Amino acid sequence: MSFDWDDDFNAPIAGPSFVDRARNAPEDDDFPIADEFGGGRAGILAQDVAEDTPFQQLIRHWLNERHAPDILPGQELLLGRLLDHIRKQSNDVELLRADPDSSEEEHFRIMLVQTEIERVKFVIRSYIRTRLHKIEKYARHIATTPEIHERLSKAELDHAKRYAKTVEYHFTQSVLQSLPPEQRKLDEDVAFMPPMIPAPDKLRPVFAHALVDCPPMRLPDGSATEMQKGQISLTPYHVVEHLLLRGEVALV
Amino acid sequence: MALPPSLRTSVTPPELELVASEQLVEIIPLVSMERTAFISGAYGPLRPPTKCKMPLWMASNLKLKKKCHIVPPTWLNVDFLQDRLTQETTLPSFSEMPFRFAEIAKILLDVAPDDLQNPEKLRTLLKDIREARQAKSREGLSKLDPNELILQNLCAMEINEIRPFFVRGMAVLTQLTREPPPVEPMDET
């Protein structure tokens, strides 16, 4: 447990070793995509290792969503699985409660199951609320950018479009129709002013925790750097965005 | 709005506690229970006095109903923390602590002080470690640059504490370095 990571970090980054490291970077198909991120993650200290259950994965996605300035791909499969599980557990609890022969032991089993259901529901609710907040904040941007559409579920996409239309209608009715025709637009680009359609701020710094050794990434000043497994660094969002989408990095 | 403003920039400590409570701890049950299937896995059967592993939230629930004793994790004892405290005060870098030690220690000290050896000393040690690390984070603020800041061995609760300052600071630095400073010194706008 030596503390000379300083020396490693100051080693020259660019140059032929970059190519070697890029060549030796982990293959993408070692880490299956979808909603399973493999068993490859490990904790910082051995006690932090937990199995990668669906609930653990949801917690990771929830924390990523909370910290990221942009909307991340929605995890419908994962949510569906967990919601089914919750429904099954609630039904079992109902059956057990209705049964008059249940003993003392059953009571606190039921209580534990109910507590866990509440915990999972809390995380699911918070996850959906965070996404909803971002969708409403960037509704017009989403409506005009087709690439984001695949990150949203069908219901979310419909909501975004309807919300954008409603807001536009509201603005038109209350203010814009009384303005001269040249000033009625909601999407003009004026020089030196921020755009009228707010886009997610990809420059915002985030704390990224590397779950595996990451391939090199490009920093704002042009230099390249890479993260070792277990390293935490504070860096602009766009630097780690592609790693986050691949699941090699989690926001903490 | 969908998300209250207080939640928009960072995670709250109770939420961090929720995440930390998923970790497994060992308990010595005082009642017996069959193997039960939960959403995060199946736990049990509980057969006193054999030890069993279960998530921290379950263990603290049972402890509050006086149905188990919690075995403290290997790092929650006076010697380990004393050793870490000396490392914190002598070396300029952060010592290696379990990632969610603050949350887990808080839960265990609140719920099961009788299962820990010398809880008062543990409290003072944890407080001292926390203050030493906070002092180092404050110094780390001067190392902020718009590219990347590596924080070795920083823990969840501490990251949450420094998040507002560091994020805003780095965002401003990014803005300043993105736009080259204006050339005229005369115009004051």
Side-chain angles (χ1 to χ4, degrees), chain A residues 47-215:
Chain A
Q47 297 97 24
D48 293 303
V49 172
E51 308 143 25
D52 218 13
T53 66
F55 186 40
Q56 288 284 0
Q57 288 173 19
L58 180 68
I59 290 185
R60 219 173 41 235
H61 286 120
W62 169 52
L63 289 175
N64 284 349
E65 195 77 56
R66 278 291 277 275
H67 293 128
D70 197 1
I71 305 182
L72 303 173
Q75 305 291 324
E76 278 89 59
L77 284 149
L78 193 55
L79 281 178
R81 244 183 12 206
L82 281 170
L83 287 170
D84 281 337
H85 215 140
I86 291 182
R87 222 170 330 186
K88 259 191 337 220
Q89 297 281 82
S90 319
N91 289 341
D92 290 345
V93 161
E94 282 308 312
L95 289 171
L96 279 176
R97 286 179 72 164
D99 180 9
D101 302 325
S102 35
S103 60
E104 185 61 36
E105 176 201 297
E106 294 295 318
H107 282 173
F108 73 84
R109 263 170 92 188
I110 291 174
M111 182 268 302
L112 286 175
V113 174
Q114 282 177 322
T115 314
E116 198 196 19
I117 292 179
E118 288 306 310
R119 284 168 63 90
V120 179
K121 272 163 60 177
F122 173 81
V123 175
I124 292 182
R125 249 184 261 133
S126 194
Y127 178 66
I128 306 248
R129 280 180 148 215
T130 317
R131 290 178 67 84
L132 191 61
H133 167 75
K134 285 189 201 171
I135 287 172
E136 291 188 348
K137 190 167 165 193
Y138 302 121
R140 298 191 50 222
H141 180 247
I142 292 172
T144 46
T145 319
E147 294 90 51
I148 309 188
H149 292 184
E150 34 190 60
R151 293 193 223 157
L152 303 176
S153 73
K154 179 134 191 339
E156 287 170 342
L157 191 52
D158 284 341
H159 177 68
K161 291 188 175 145
R162 280 200 323 259
Y163 184 82
K165 266 182 61 188
T166 313
V167 168
E168 200 176 317
Y169 177 73
H170 167 68
F171 285 159
T172 327
Q173 287 293 93
S174 45
V175 176
L176 290 178
Q177 63 187 10
S178 330
L179 294 178
E182 313 84 54
Q183 292 177 346
R184 279 188 203 164
K185 288 160 54 85
L186 275 172
D187 54 1
E188 2 181 276
D189 253 328
V190 183
F192 304 116
M193 299 285 276
M196 281 185 102
I197 308 181
D201 177 19
K202 301 221 174 164
L203 294 169
R204 195 173 92 188
V206 290
F207 283 91
H209 169 212
L211 302 171
V212 293
D213 285 334
C214 299

Side-chain angles (χ1 to χ4, degrees), chain A residues 25-34 36-39 215 246 248:
Chain A
E27 295 293 333
D28 276 356
D29 37 25
D30 281 353
F31 304 104
I33 323 179
E36 317 265 275
F37 290 120
R246 288 217 302 253
E248 294 172 11

Side-chain angles (χ1 to χ4, degrees), chain B residues 1 21 54 84 89 100 117 126 133 138-139 151 170 180 187 189:
Chain B
M1 286 261 99
S21 301
M54 55 170 46
R84 286 295 194 251
T89 39
R100 300 184 194 276
Q117 39 137 221
L126 285 165
R133 292 170 78 104
R138 247 170 289 157
E139 289 159 34
L151 306 144
M170 198 171 175
D187 279 340
T189 316

